[in-house]
Amino acid sequence: MGCVTPRATDWGLALFVGLLFTTGVMTLFAGERGDAWVFAAHGAGGFALAAAVGWKLRRVWRRLAQPSRWDRRTAAGAGALGLVVATLLSGMAWSSGVKLSAAGYNLLGWHFALGVVLTLVVAVHAGLRAKPIRRRDLAGRRQLLAAGAVAAGSYLVWLTQRPLSGWLGLRGGRRRFTGSYEAGSFAGNDFPSTSWVADRPRPLSEGSFRLELSGLVASPTQLTLAELEAGDMLVATLDCTGGFYSRQRWGGARLLSLLERAGPLPAASHVRVISHTGYRWSFDLEDARGLLLATSVGGEPLSHEHGAPARLVAPGRRGFQWVKWVTRVELHDGPDPGAAASTVWSSFTAEGRGAA
Ligand code: HEM
Protein backbone atom coordinates (compact mmCIF):
# COMPACT_ATOMS: atom_id res chain seq x y z
CA MET A 1 0.00 0.00 0.00
CA GLY A 2 3.09 2.18 0.08
CA CYS A 3 2.13 3.33 -3.41
CA VAL A 4 -1.10 5.14 -2.45
CA THR A 5 -0.38 8.82 -3.01
CA PRO A 6 -1.47 11.47 -0.46
CA ARG A 7 -3.86 12.85 -3.05
CA ALA A 8 -5.43 9.44 -3.70
CA THR A 9 -5.79 8.95 0.08
CA ASP A 10 -7.63 12.29 0.45
CA TRP A 11 -9.91 11.55 -2.49
CA GLY A 12 -10.52 8.08 -1.06
CA LEU A 13 -11.54 9.61 2.27
CA ALA A 14 -13.97 12.01 0.58
CA LEU A 15 -15.37 9.17 -1.55
CA PHE A 16 -16.01 6.97 1.50
CA VAL A 17 -17.71 9.82 3.35
CA GLY A 18 -19.91 10.38 0.27
CA LEU A 19 -20.73 6.66 0.11
CA LEU A 20 -21.57 6.57 3.82
CA PHE A 21 -23.77 9.64 3.60
CA THR A 22 -25.63 8.26 0.57
CA THR A 23 -26.14 4.79 2.05
CA GLY A 24 -26.90 6.37 5.46
CA VAL A 25 -29.78 8.37 3.96
CA MET A 26 -30.88 5.26 2.04
CA THR A 27 -31.14 3.33 5.34
CA LEU A 28 -34.04 5.64 6.24
CA PHE A 29 -36.11 4.13 3.42
CA ALA A 30 -34.83 0.54 3.59
CA GLY A 31 -37.19 -1.82 5.38
CA GLU A 32 -37.54 -4.92 3.18
CA ARG A 33 -35.19 -7.93 3.43
CA GLY A 34 -34.10 -7.16 -0.14
CA ASP A 35 -32.74 -3.81 1.09
CA ALA A 36 -30.21 -5.50 3.42
CA TRP A 37 -27.38 -4.66 0.99
CA VAL A 38 -27.78 -0.97 1.92
CA PHE A 39 -26.81 -1.75 5.52
CA ALA A 40 -23.98 -4.04 4.34
CA ALA A 41 -22.59 -1.25 2.12
CA HIS A 42 -22.92 1.26 4.97
CA GLY A 43 -21.27 -0.99 7.56
CA ALA A 44 -18.43 -2.15 5.25
CA GLY A 45 -17.99 1.48 4.09
CA GLY A 46 -17.54 2.49 7.75
CA PHE A 47 -14.68 0.01 8.18
CA ALA A 48 -13.14 1.12 4.87
CA LEU A 49 -13.27 4.75 6.03
CA ALA A 50 -11.63 3.75 9.33
CA ALA A 51 -8.83 2.04 7.35
CA ALA A 52 -8.34 5.13 5.16
CA VAL A 53 -8.24 7.41 8.23
CA GLY A 54 -5.62 5.12 9.80
CA TRP A 55 -3.61 5.27 6.59
CA LYS A 56 -3.76 9.07 6.48
CA LEU A 57 -2.80 9.31 10.17
CA ARG A 58 0.39 7.36 9.49
CA ARG A 59 1.46 10.26 7.26
CA VAL A 60 0.31 13.25 9.32
CA TRP A 61 0.62 11.89 12.84
CA ARG A 62 4.07 13.43 13.55
CA ARG A 63 2.85 16.92 12.74
CA LEU A 64 -0.38 16.45 14.71
CA ALA A 65 1.52 15.21 17.76
CA GLN A 66 3.64 18.39 17.96
CA PRO A 67 1.46 21.42 18.69
CA SER A 68 4.47 23.72 18.08
CA ARG A 69 4.27 22.75 14.36
CA TRP A 70 0.55 23.49 14.10
CA ASP A 71 -0.85 26.17 11.80
CA ARG A 72 -4.49 27.04 10.99
CA ARG A 73 -4.72 24.20 8.52
CA THR A 74 -3.55 21.66 11.11
CA ALA A 75 -6.24 22.83 13.54
CA ALA A 76 -8.90 22.47 10.82
CA GLY A 77 -7.53 19.02 9.96
CA ALA A 78 -7.56 17.93 13.60
CA GLY A 79 -11.18 19.17 13.93
CA ALA A 80 -12.20 17.19 10.83
CA LEU A 81 -10.40 14.12 12.21
CA GLY A 82 -12.31 14.45 15.49
CA LEU A 83 -15.58 14.62 13.54
CA VAL A 84 -14.76 11.51 11.47
CA VAL A 85 -13.76 9.57 14.57
CA ALA A 86 -16.91 10.65 16.47
CA THR A 87 -19.14 9.63 13.52
CA LEU A 88 -17.39 6.26 13.14
CA LEU A 89 -17.42 5.53 16.87
CA SER A 90 -21.07 6.51 17.32
CA GLY A 91 -22.05 4.19 14.43
CA MET A 92 -19.95 1.29 15.70
CA ALA A 93 -21.08 1.75 19.31
CA TRP A 94 -24.72 1.75 18.19
CA SER A 95 -24.19 -1.40 16.13
CA SER A 96 -22.52 -3.12 19.10
CA GLY A 97 -25.52 -2.35 21.30
CA VAL A 98 -24.17 0.47 23.47
CA LYS A 99 -27.12 2.28 25.07
CA LEU A 100 -26.36 5.98 25.47
CA SER A 101 -28.41 9.10 25.04
CA ALA A 102 -27.73 12.79 25.46
CA ALA A 103 -30.08 15.79 25.21
CA GLY A 104 -32.99 13.43 24.48
CA TYR A 105 -31.31 11.74 21.50
CA ASN A 106 -29.93 8.20 21.41
CA LEU A 107 -26.60 7.24 19.84
CA LEU A 108 -28.23 6.67 16.45
CA GLY A 109 -29.75 10.17 16.50
CA TRP A 110 -26.34 11.66 17.29
CA HIS A 111 -24.79 9.47 14.63
CA PHE A 112 -27.22 10.83 11.97
CA ALA A 113 -26.43 14.40 13.02
CA LEU A 114 -22.64 13.86 13.09
CA GLY A 115 -22.80 12.12 9.68
CA VAL A 116 -24.65 15.07 8.13
CA VAL A 117 -22.23 17.67 9.63
CA LEU A 118 -19.21 15.59 8.57
CA THR A 119 -20.51 15.35 5.00
CA LEU A 120 -21.10 19.11 4.83
CA VAL A 121 -17.60 19.83 6.18
CA VAL A 122 -16.00 17.42 3.68
CA ALA A 123 -18.03 18.90 0.79
CA VAL A 124 -17.02 22.49 1.67
CA HIS A 125 -13.38 21.46 2.21
CA ALA A 126 -13.30 19.60 -1.12
CA GLY A 127 -14.91 22.59 -2.88
CA LEU A 128 -12.28 25.00 -1.49
CA ARG A 129 -9.08 22.96 -1.44
CA ALA A 130 -9.35 19.77 -3.50
CA LYS A 131 -6.44 19.19 -5.85
CA PRO A 132 -7.43 17.47 -9.09
CA ILE A 133 -6.78 13.76 -9.20
CA ARG A 134 -4.01 12.73 -11.63
CA ARG A 135 -3.51 9.59 -13.69
CA ARG A 136 -0.69 8.42 -11.45
CA ASP A 137 -2.96 8.67 -8.36
CA LEU A 138 -5.12 5.90 -9.79
CA ALA A 139 -3.43 4.01 -12.55
CA GLY A 140 -0.89 1.67 -10.89
CA ARG A 141 -1.49 -2.04 -10.42
CA ARG A 142 -0.56 -1.75 -6.75
CA GLN A 143 -3.07 1.09 -6.30
CA LEU A 144 -5.75 -1.18 -7.66
CA LEU A 145 -4.65 -4.02 -5.37
CA ALA A 146 -4.69 -1.67 -2.36
CA ALA A 147 -8.24 -0.51 -3.20
CA GLY A 148 -9.38 -4.13 -3.68
CA ALA A 149 -7.79 -5.17 -0.38
CA VAL A 150 -9.55 -2.35 1.51
CA ALA A 151 -12.91 -3.20 -0.09
CA ALA A 152 -12.64 -6.96 0.53
CA GLY A 153 -11.13 -6.54 4.02
CA SER A 154 -13.80 -4.12 5.21
CA TYR A 155 -16.58 -6.35 3.88
CA LEU A 156 -15.06 -9.34 5.69
CA VAL A 157 -14.78 -7.38 8.95
CA TRP A 158 -18.43 -6.32 8.56
CA LEU A 159 -19.45 -9.96 7.93
CA THR A 160 -17.78 -11.20 11.12
CA GLN A 161 -19.01 -8.30 13.28
CA ARG A 162 -22.52 -9.61 14.00
CA PRO A 163 -21.56 -13.24 14.82
CA LEU A 164 -18.70 -11.92 16.93
CA SER A 165 -21.06 -9.58 18.85
CA GLY A 166 -23.40 -12.53 19.44
CA TRP A 167 -20.54 -14.69 20.64
CA LEU A 168 -19.37 -11.95 23.03
CA GLY A 169 -22.95 -11.63 24.32
CA LEU A 170 -23.26 -8.03 23.07
CA ARG A 171 -26.73 -6.66 22.36
CA GLY A 172 -25.53 -5.80 18.84
CA GLY A 173 -25.66 -9.50 17.91
CA ARG A 174 -29.44 -9.39 18.34
CA ARG A 175 -30.24 -6.34 16.22
CA ARG A 176 -32.41 -6.57 13.13
CA PHE A 177 -30.83 -6.28 9.66
CA THR A 178 -31.79 -2.57 9.79
CA GLY A 179 -29.71 -2.09 12.94
CA SER A 180 -32.88 -1.65 15.07
CA TYR A 181 -33.34 -3.27 18.50
CA GLU A 182 -36.46 -5.13 19.62
CA ALA A 183 -38.89 -3.35 21.97
CA GLY A 184 -42.28 -4.41 23.33
CA SER A 185 -43.26 -6.98 20.67
CA PHE A 186 -46.75 -8.51 21.09
CA ALA A 187 -47.39 -6.38 24.17
CA GLY A 188 -50.40 -4.38 22.97
CA ASN A 189 -49.85 -0.63 23.19
CA ASP A 190 -46.83 -1.13 25.44
CA PHE A 191 -44.13 -0.38 22.89
CA PRO A 192 -42.22 2.89 22.32
CA SER A 193 -43.92 5.66 20.41
CA THR A 194 -42.11 8.32 18.46
CA SER A 195 -43.37 11.07 16.23
CA TRP A 196 -41.30 12.34 13.36
CA VAL A 197 -40.28 15.97 14.08
CA ALA A 198 -42.67 17.19 16.79
CA ASP A 199 -46.33 16.29 16.13
CA ARG A 200 -48.42 16.65 19.31
CA PRO A 201 -52.09 16.52 18.23
CA ARG A 202 -54.93 16.43 20.74
CA PRO A 203 -56.70 13.05 21.14
CA LEU A 204 -59.41 12.65 18.48
CA SER A 205 -62.96 11.92 19.65
CA GLU A 206 -64.01 8.41 18.60
CA GLY A 207 -67.70 9.37 18.42
CA SER A 208 -67.28 12.20 15.93
CA PHE A 209 -64.41 10.54 14.04
CA ARG A 210 -64.97 10.12 10.29
CA LEU A 211 -62.54 8.73 7.72
CA GLU A 212 -62.95 10.57 4.44
CA LEU A 213 -62.37 8.64 1.20
CA SER A 214 -61.99 11.07 -1.69
CA GLY A 215 -59.98 12.08 -4.78
CA LEU A 216 -60.34 9.90 -7.90
CA VAL A 217 -63.38 7.97 -6.64
CA ALA A 218 -66.91 7.69 -8.05
CA SER A 219 -68.59 8.56 -4.73
CA PRO A 220 -66.63 10.32 -2.00
CA THR A 221 -67.51 8.56 1.25
CA GLN A 222 -67.16 9.03 5.00
CA LEU A 223 -66.75 6.03 7.32
CA THR A 224 -67.26 5.81 11.09
CA LEU A 225 -64.81 4.11 13.44
CA ALA A 226 -67.13 1.09 13.69
CA GLU A 227 -66.92 0.69 9.91
CA LEU A 228 -63.10 0.53 10.15
CA GLU A 229 -63.26 -2.31 12.66
CA ALA A 230 -63.68 -4.87 9.90
CA GLY A 231 -61.85 -7.76 11.61
CA ASP A 232 -58.89 -7.84 9.20
CA MET A 233 -55.67 -8.90 10.97
CA LEU A 234 -52.02 -8.51 10.07
CA VAL A 235 -48.85 -9.44 11.94
CA ALA A 236 -46.26 -6.86 10.92
CA THR A 237 -43.07 -5.26 12.22
CA LEU A 238 -42.94 -1.56 12.90
CA ASP A 239 -39.27 -0.62 12.37
CA CYS A 240 -38.58 2.95 13.39
CA THR A 241 -35.66 4.93 11.95
CA GLY A 242 -35.08 6.00 15.57
CA GLY A 243 -33.62 2.51 16.12
CA PHE A 244 -36.26 0.20 17.61
CA TYR A 245 -38.55 -2.41 16.09
CA SER A 246 -41.71 -4.01 17.44
CA ARG A 247 -43.64 -6.93 15.99
CA GLN A 248 -47.39 -6.71 16.59
CA ARG A 249 -50.74 -8.19 15.66
CA TRP A 250 -52.66 -5.28 14.12
CA GLY A 251 -56.44 -5.28 13.64
CA GLY A 252 -58.62 -3.08 11.41
CA ALA A 253 -59.47 -2.95 7.71
CA ARG A 254 -57.48 -3.52 4.54
CA LEU A 255 -57.01 -0.09 2.96
CA LEU A 256 -57.96 -1.22 -0.54
CA SER A 257 -61.16 -2.90 0.61
CA LEU A 258 -62.18 0.42 2.21
CA LEU A 259 -61.44 2.26 -1.01
CA GLU A 260 -63.59 -0.21 -2.97
CA ARG A 261 -66.58 1.29 -1.15
CA ALA A 262 -65.95 4.68 -2.77
CA GLY A 263 -65.51 3.23 -6.30
CA PRO A 264 -61.94 3.95 -7.45
CA LEU A 265 -61.76 5.55 -10.93
CA PRO A 266 -59.58 3.87 -13.61
CA ALA A 267 -57.12 6.83 -13.65
CA ALA A 268 -56.19 6.30 -9.99
CA SER A 269 -52.60 5.04 -9.59
CA HIS A 270 -51.59 6.22 -6.11
CA VAL A 271 -53.17 6.36 -2.69
CA ARG A 272 -52.40 9.23 -0.33
CA VAL A 273 -52.88 8.57 3.39
CA ILE A 274 -53.36 11.79 5.35
CA SER A 275 -53.20 12.47 9.08
CA HIS A 276 -55.29 14.91 11.10
CA THR A 277 -51.99 16.86 11.47
CA GLY A 278 -51.49 17.23 7.68
CA TYR A 279 -48.67 14.62 7.69
CA ARG A 280 -49.12 12.35 4.69
CA TRP A 281 -47.47 9.60 2.66
CA SER A 282 -48.27 8.19 -0.75
CA PHE A 283 -48.13 4.62 -2.09
CA ASP A 284 -48.34 3.06 -5.51
CA LEU A 285 -51.69 1.21 -5.72
CA GLU A 286 -49.77 -1.98 -6.48
CA ASP A 287 -47.85 -1.62 -3.16
CA ALA A 288 -51.00 -0.58 -1.32
CA ARG A 289 -52.38 -4.14 -1.44
CA GLY A 290 -50.52 -5.00 1.78
CA LEU A 291 -51.64 -1.90 3.72
CA LEU A 292 -53.97 -2.05 6.70
CA LEU A 293 -55.73 0.77 8.50
CA ALA A 294 -55.38 -0.37 12.12
CA THR A 295 -57.72 0.50 14.96
CA SER A 296 -56.29 -2.06 17.41
CA VAL A 297 -52.98 -3.62 18.38
CA GLY A 298 -52.66 -6.95 20.18
CA GLY A 299 -56.43 -6.93 20.80
CA GLU A 300 -56.38 -3.48 22.52
CA PRO A 301 -57.87 -0.35 20.97
CA LEU A 302 -54.99 1.71 19.61
CA SER A 303 -53.78 4.32 22.13
CA HIS A 304 -53.55 8.01 21.25
CA GLU A 305 -49.74 8.07 21.04
CA HIS A 306 -49.86 5.14 18.60
CA GLY A 307 -52.26 7.02 16.31
CA ALA A 308 -55.85 6.39 17.53
CA PRO A 309 -58.47 6.12 16.24
CA ALA A 310 -56.71 4.75 13.13
CA ARG A 311 -53.13 4.42 11.90
CA LEU A 312 -51.57 2.96 8.81
CA VAL A 313 -49.74 -0.36 8.97
CA ALA A 314 -47.28 -0.55 6.05
CA PRO A 315 -45.25 -3.80 6.21
CA GLY A 316 -41.70 -3.47 4.87
CA ARG A 317 -41.79 0.35 5.15
CA ARG A 318 -39.97 2.32 7.86
CA GLY A 319 -42.07 3.63 10.75
CA PHE A 320 -42.35 7.22 9.54
CA GLN A 321 -44.45 5.96 6.62
CA TRP A 322 -46.95 4.36 9.03
CA VAL A 323 -49.10 7.51 9.18
CA LYS A 324 -50.84 8.06 12.56
CA TRP A 325 -54.21 9.75 13.32
CA VAL A 326 -55.43 9.05 9.75
CA THR A 327 -58.53 11.05 8.82
CA ARG A 328 -58.38 11.10 5.02
CA VAL A 329 -57.46 8.68 2.24
CA GLU A 330 -57.31 10.05 -1.31
CA LEU A 331 -56.77 8.46 -4.71
CA HIS A 332 -54.55 10.30 -7.21
CA ASP A 333 -53.15 9.76 -10.69
CA GLY A 334 -49.48 10.14 -9.66
CA PRO A 335 -47.03 10.19 -6.73
CA ASP A 336 -47.08 12.94 -4.11
CA PRO A 337 -44.08 15.29 -4.42
CA GLY A 338 -45.14 17.20 -1.29
CA ALA A 339 -45.23 14.18 1.04
CA ALA A 340 -41.67 14.59 2.43
CA ALA A 341 -42.26 18.29 3.18
CA SER A 342 -45.60 17.47 4.86
CA THR A 343 -43.74 15.38 7.46
CA VAL A 344 -41.93 18.52 8.62
CA TRP A 345 -44.63 21.16 8.39
CA SER A 346 -47.27 18.98 10.07
CA SER A 347 -45.66 19.91 13.40
CA PHE A 348 -46.36 23.59 12.71
CA THR A 349 -50.05 23.28 11.78
CA ALA A 350 -52.62 24.09 14.49
CA GLU A 351 -53.72 20.41 14.36
CA GLY A 352 -50.12 19.17 14.64
CA ARG A 353 -49.47 21.42 17.63
CA GLY A 354 -52.67 20.22 19.31
CA ALA A 355 -54.39 23.60 19.05
CA ALA A 356 -57.23 22.42 16.80
C1 HEM B 1 -21.12 10.32 6.38
C2 HEM B 1 -20.94 9.93 7.53
C3 HEM B 1 -21.25 8.59 8.15
C4 HEM B 1 -20.33 7.70 8.62
C5 HEM B 1 -18.83 7.86 8.58
C6 HEM B 1 -21.04 6.55 9.14
C7 HEM B 1 -20.45 5.44 9.71
C8 HEM B 1 -21.12 4.38 10.29
C9 HEM B 1 -20.50 3.25 10.91
C10 HEM B 1 -19.01 3.01 11.01
C11 HEM B 1 -21.49 2.43 11.36
C12 HEM B 1 -21.32 1.09 12.08
C13 HEM B 1 -21.49 -0.02 11.08
C14 HEM B 1 -21.30 -1.35 11.68
O1 HEM B 1 -20.64 -1.43 12.73
O2 HEM B 1 -21.81 -2.32 11.10
C15 HEM B 1 -22.75 3.05 11.05
C16 HEM B 1 -23.98 2.52 11.35
C17 HEM B 1 -25.19 3.09 11.00
N1 HEM B 1 -25.35 4.31 10.34
FE1 HEM B 1 -23.87 5.52 9.68
N2 HEM B 1 -22.39 6.77 9.00
C18 HEM B 1 -22.56 8.01 8.41
C19 HEM B 1 -23.76 8.62 8.11
C20 HEM B 1 -25.01 8.08 8.39
C21 HEM B 1 -26.25 8.73 8.10
C22 HEM B 1 -26.39 10.13 7.46
C23 HEM B 1 -27.23 7.86 8.50
C24 HEM B 1 -28.73 8.01 8.40
C25 HEM B 1 -29.36 9.09 8.07
C26 HEM B 1 -26.63 6.68 9.05
C27 HEM B 1 -27.30 5.56 9.55
C28 HEM B 1 -26.71 4.48 10.15
C29 HEM B 1 -27.43 3.33 10.68
C30 HEM B 1 -28.95 3.09 10.65
C31 HEM B 1 -26.48 2.47 11.23
C32 HEM B 1 -26.73 1.13 11.93
C33 HEM B 1 -26.55 0.00 10.95
C34 HEM B 1 -26.36 -1.33 11.61
O3 HEM B 1 -26.42 -1.43 12.85
O4 HEM B 1 -26.14 -2.31 10.88
N3 HEM B 1 -25.26 6.85 8.98
N4 HEM B 1 -22.48 4.23 10.37
Side-chain angles (χ1 to χ4, degrees):
M1 263 172 77
C3 56
V4 179
T5 63
R7 213 175 276 198
T9 311
D10 290 345
W11 275 99
L13 282 168
L15 198 80
F16 287 137
V17 170
L19 168 86
L20 282 153
F21 177 74
T22 309
T23 50
V25 172
M26 285 170 76
T27 67
L28 298 176
F29 297 90
E32 308 259 19
R33 281 272 158 199
D35 300 327
W37 68 269
V38 174
F39 298 90
H42 193 75
F47 292 114
L49 178 62
V53 169
W55 182 247
K56 169 137 186 160
L57 273 180
R58 265 174 60 133
R59 176 160 55 89
V60 299
W61 182 248
R62 271 212 201 102
R63 184 142 51 93
L64 270 185
Q66 291 176 16
S68 58
R69 293 177 60 193
W70 281 33
D71 57 20
R72 270 181 52 204
R73 278 177 59 189
T74 335
L81 175 67
L83 200 54
V84 178
V85 171
T87 312
L88 285 173
L89 283 183
S90 58
M92 289 175 184
W94 170 263
S95 298
S96 312
V98 176
K99 263 184 168 175
L100 271 182
S101 49
Y105 291 93
N106 65 10
L107 259 180
L108 188 59
W110 281 103
H111 175 70
F112 288 175
L114 285 165
V116 170
V117 175
L118 172 66
T119 308
L120 287 175
V121 167
V122 168
V124 170
H125 178 74
L128 293 177
R129 311 200 71 97
K131 297 183 187 130
I133 196 105
R134 302 152 301 188
R135 232 185 127 69
R136 71 169 180 278
D137 295 315
L138 300 172
R141 195 170 70 94
R142 292 176 67 193
Q143 304 259 18
L144 213 67
L145 282 176
V150 169
S154 37
Y155 181 62
L156 280 177
V157 175
W158 178 80
L159 270 187
T160 52
Q161 184 204 29
R162 198 177 290 247
L164 189 70
S165 295
W167 185 71
L168 291 172
L170 298 177
R171 218 164 61 95
R174 296 191 305 273
R175 69 196 200 280
R176 203 169 176 245
F177 73 95
T178 57
S180 297
Y181 292 91
E182 193 279 329
S185 289
F186 298 113
N189 282 292
D190 196 12
F191 64 95
S193 96
T194 48
S195 283
W196 191 248
V197 192
D199 287 355
R200 297 268 178 280
R202 62 173 173 75
L204 301 183
S205 139
E206 293 185 359
S208 58
F209 172 82
R210 294 289 179 276
L211 176 76
E212 193 183 313
L213 304 174
S214 54
L216 292 173
V217 293
S219 28
T221 305
Q222 291 202 339
L223 301 176
T224 63
L225 180 57
E227 288 172 291
L228 300 189
E229 291 162 348
D232 293 339
M233 288 283 171
L234 191 61
V235 173
T237 303
L238 172 67
D239 191 332
C240 175
T241 47
F244 78 87
Y245 77 89
S246 197
R247 196 156 170 76
Q248 304 289 352
R249 181 178 297 278
W250 308 90
R254 295 260 170 201
L255 195 68
L256 289 195
S257 62
L258 291 177
L259 280 165
E260 286 303 323
R261 293 173 162 219
L265 296 178
S269 65
H270 286 73
V271 57
R272 204 174 280 185
V273 182
I274 307 168
S275 169
H276 170 69
T277 63
Y279 188 114
R280 59 182 205 253
W281 205 258
S282 160
F283 302 83
D284 192 294
L285 270 185
E286 203 45 50
D287 294 347
R289 289 183 195 286
L291 302 179
L292 182 93
L293 207 56
T295 52
S296 73
V297 58
E300 297 175 5
L302 212 57
S303 66
H304 170 60
E305 65 273 18
H306 287 310
R311 84 168 304 165
L312 188 67
V313 170
R317 302 296 189 114
R318 299 308 291 269
F320 71 90
Q321 291 155 333
W322 294 41
V323 183
K324 300 203 268 195
W325 309 294
V326 176
T327 52
R328 208 149 30 105
V329 176
E330 292 175 354
L331 283 179
H332 288 263
D333 59 2
D336 179 4
S342 83
T343 66
V344 178
W345 63 249
S346 66
S347 294
F348 301 103
T349 62
E351 289 83 359
R353 285 184 281 112

